[in-house]
Amino acid sequence: MTDAKPFVEIRQARKCYGDLEVLKNISLKVNKGQIIAIIGPSGSGKSTLLRAINDLDPLTDGEVWLEDTQVNKKLPHKQYENHINKVRQNIGMVFQHFNLFPHLSVRENITLAPKMLKGISDAEADRLAEEQLEHVGLSDRIDYYPSQLSGGQKQRVAIARALAMQPKVMLFDEATSALDPELVEEVNLVMKRLAEEHMTMIIVTHEMAFAESVADRILFMDGGVVVEEGPPEQLFRAPKHERTKEFLAKHLRANALAPA
Amino acid sequence: MQRVAPFFLEAAWVTLELAVLSTLLGLTLGAIAASAKLYGNVVFRSIATVYVSVIRGTPCLIQLFILYFGGPQIGINLDPFSAGVIGLGINIGAYMTETIRGAIIAVDSGQMEAARTLGLSKFQAVRKVILPQAARLMVRPLGVNINAQIKATALVSAISVVDLTYTAQRYIGSTYKPFEMFILAGVLYMVIITLTGMIVSWLNKRVAIQ
């Protein structure tokens, strides 16, 4: 399916903070249903790239496309706001620190946006919340508040909240980095299930084993460029670039040192 | 003492009215100026910034004098009570601006990001996600502002509003008992402040996040 029209496309992305160039001319094509994992050291620009896809961190130069729509279209402020709000409904995002709304119950967290933006009724919204929670295995937590949930449960609710908008693509920004080790697996399982359902996913992660097991393609970023990319077996087993090898070796050592 | 009691009660009522009305005006101005500072364009931001620094940089008494005594010169004729409400309201509004702005800033930036990512507009995100959380952070510091405001109402006695302080001064002349008169006024201020404090505590408990 490599010849198919890309579903998400980044063209020559550049991002500067003053004199600092954090993304240097990056291009990326993602097909429908594909799962891309982006790995690399801290400060390599991987989160910035991810956050450019829904224009949360606007690019300095370059284009982002979702199907036939340019996400970061140049428009007058007001028109742009209307445009981006519509586009973002199609791009789900999950954050490292969950960012659940603490003043709202799990149900309200999930139904807030669909109710406001899609004008669905209370009954439909309730059904949607129940459906999405079942999907992440938290049906019994529907009337809890975020503060009453564990980190893993919070992140699963955050995924359910994003999915409730029925996005075309899901972005994960180090979704398990803030979790206690024993809570990582339950979130990974939810993401794996999404992968099996052919959700298009772009995942920024520090977990090599997870990236290898779930992704179709791995991007290794360092210093604002994609150093190397390829299928997981190639990138992890037979990396071509020196920097990729170094990074993976460091990671292996760190994991070997970590208590089981 | 019994002879003056009804006048003091009436004056306490005037003080309470002043405090409530000027606080409401101040809250409105504070909300507008805080929004301007946080979300407005350059023009609105600058106006709000000038407002806050001018008001906080000058004595409230001078502001009241300018409004009440200076006003007529530029065509603003206000009775003492209205001048008191408006002057005090404009004054506390500047402090409310900073309190409201501080509470909004204190809400984690990830909240706005999460709301915008779902497709909410900035306005929708502020209304449904940011403000409800900021409101909870605001109650206690606003309570402090209101406490100060009740005491600041004493200043309007200088523009001849018949409030508690004015009344106490007035009856010194006929009773020759300044000690009792000012103690009585003080006690009545304290009653108003205690009651207000109780309302703020109750509100604070009610809005606490589960």
Side-chain angles (χ1 to χ4, degrees):
Chain A
M1 287 284 287
T2 42
D3 55 342
K5 194 172 162 12
F7 198 61
V8 178
E9 186 174 5
I10 297 172
R11 294 180 193 157
Q12 294 165 343
R14 271 186 71 239
K15 170 88 183 173
C16 305
Y17 291 110
D19 288 337
L20 186 70
E21 198 177 13
V22 291
L23 296 178
K24 300 169 185 166
N25 199 21
I26 292 185
S27 294
L28 171 67
K29 288 180 185 174
V30 184
N31 293 330
K32 196 172 171 154
Q34 239 188 356
I35 294 153
I36 308 288
I38 307 176
I39 61 170
S42 308
S44 58
K46 52 194 193 308
S47 281
T48 310
L49 182 68
L50 192 76
R51 289 162 60 88
I53 294 174
N54 60 3
D55 212 38
L56 217 50
D57 270 345
L59 292 175
T60 310
D61 273 313
E63 295 177 2
V64 180
W65 289 79
L66 174 64
E67 289 185 292
D68 298 321
T69 312
Q70 188 184 345
V71 175
N72 61 344
K73 216 190 277 184
K74 294 271 172 289
L75 287 169
H77 179 73
K78 240 195 144 86
Q79 275 168 276
Y80 168 78
E81 284 293 310
N82 286 331
H83 157 80
I84 197 70
N85 291 337
K86 285 211 185 72
V87 171
R88 283 184 179 144
Q89 293 187 29
N90 295 315
I91 307 176
M93 186 162 199
V94 175
F95 301 88
Q96 184 179 355
H97 295 289
F98 332 125
N99 298 353
L100 290 180
F101 308 133
H103 61 299
L104 300 178
S105 68
V106 166
R107 180 200 306 269
E108 292 163 332
N109 263 278
I110 295 172
T111 57
L112 176 74
K115 269 180 163 174
M116 287 183 84
L117 304 173
K118 296 189 168 171
I120 61 172
S121 68
D122 287 1
E124 281 172 292
D126 279 343
R127 215 163 351 151
L128 183 67
E130 283 158 21
E131 231 174 74
Q132 292 305 334
L133 282 174
E134 205 186 314
H135 202 253
V136 299
L138 286 171
S139 297
D140 54 335
R141 295 291 189 272
I142 191 160
D143 287 316
Y144 281 50
Y145 279 80
S147 61
Q148 299 167 308
L149 303 175
S150 72
Q153 291 171 336
K154 281 182 196 166
Q155 196 59 297
R156 282 148 71 196
V157 171
I159 294 172
R161 177 177 70 178
L163 290 174
M165 288 302 288
Q166 282 148 339
K168 293 176 177 168
V169 52
M170 284 285 286
L171 312 176
F172 292 86
D173 191 4
E174 301 190 20
T176 55
S177 294
L179 294 175
D180 291 336
E182 73 270 22
L183 302 176
V184 168
E185 197 50 33
E186 63 184 73
V187 175
N188 282 348
L189 278 175
V190 168
M191 288 168 68
K192 269 187 190 153
R193 225 176 115 185
L194 265 182
E196 282 157 17
E197 291 161 9
H198 306 292
M199 172 62 82
T200 310
M201 294 158 77
I202 304 174
I203 302 168
V204 166
T205 183
H206 284 294
E207 280 186 82
M208 303 306 138
F210 178 67
E212 184 169 5
S213 71
V214 77
D216 301 308
R217 199 149 54 104
I218 312 281
L219 261 68
F220 170 65
M221 280 182 71
D222 193 11
V225 294
V226 176
V227 175
E228 182 169 355
E229 65 169 294
E233 55 274 17
Q234 180 210 313
L235 199 122
F236 285 117
R237 304 294 161 214
K240 288 181 192 134
H241 284 261
E242 225 23 67
R243 269 196 285 176
T244 320
K245 283 178 199 165
E246 261 169 48
F247 174 77
L248 291 173
K250 238 183 239 169
H251 242 274
L252 275 178
R253 268 203 306 280
N255 279 349
L257 288 172
Chain B
M1 211 55 150
Q2 270 145 349
R3 196 173 56 80
V4 300
F7 299 105
F8 270 82
L9 285 178
E10 208 173 303
W13 183 249
V14 172
T15 291
L16 188 63
E17 276 183 319
L18 267 170
V20 170
L21 292 176
S22 62
T23 298
L24 290 177
L25 176 61
L27 272 175
T28 312
L29 289 172
I32 294 170
S35 319
K37 278 189 117 172
L38 286 168
Y39 308 117
N41 60 24
V42 180
V43 179
F44 287 119
R45 264 203 323 267
S46 317
I47 294 174
T49 305
V50 169
Y51 163 59
V52 171
S53 36
V54 166
I55 295 299
R56 294 208 303 183
T58 52
C60 186
L61 191 58
I62 295 292
Q63 295 159 17
L64 285 168
F65 282 170
I66 291 173
L67 186 63
Y68 183 66
F69 296 118
Q73 258 180 275
I74 52 166
I76 301 171
N77 288 290
L78 293 168
D79 63 87
F81 183 80
S82 308
V85 168
I86 294 170
L88 290 172
I90 290 174
N91 181 266
I92 199 178
Y95 295 91
M96 300 272 193
T97 302
E98 290 307 299
T99 305
I100 293 170
R101 196 175 75 99
I104 290 174
I105 290 174
V107 176
D108 183 67
S109 61
Q111 294 290 308
M112 177 60 98
E113 281 190 354
R116 295 303 308 271
T117 306
L118 288 164
L120 267 62
S121 70
K122 200 168 188 179
F123 179 71
Q124 287 171 323
V126 168
R127 193 162 57 95
K128 289 288 187 178
V129 176
I130 307 299
L131 276 186
Q133 294 181 61
R136 292 162 165 87
L137 300 172
M138 260 175 234
V139 175
R140 206 172 277 281
L142 284 180
V144 175
N145 288 352
I146 292 168
N147 176 302
Q149 176 74 345
I150 295 166
K151 287 176 283 192
T153 59
L155 292 171
V156 297
S157 61
I159 56 169
S160 64
V161 178
V162 188
D163 74 330
L164 267 177
T165 306
Y166 188 92
T167 303
Q169 283 173 320
R170 182 205 268 177
Y171 284 101
I172 291 166
S174 54
T175 60
Y176 302 107
K177 287 180 176 162
F179 187 74
E180 286 90 338
M181 293 302 110
F182 284 127
I183 291 274
L184 182 55
V187 167
L188 287 169
Y189 274 114
M190 200 165 161
V191 169
I192 295 173
I193 282 171
T194 310
L195 290 175
T196 321
M198 283 160 70
I199 294 172
V200 171
S201 296
W202 172 79
L203 254 180
N204 202 33
K205 272 197 204 100
R206 269 208 50 171
V207 299
I209 290 182
Q210 288 219 10

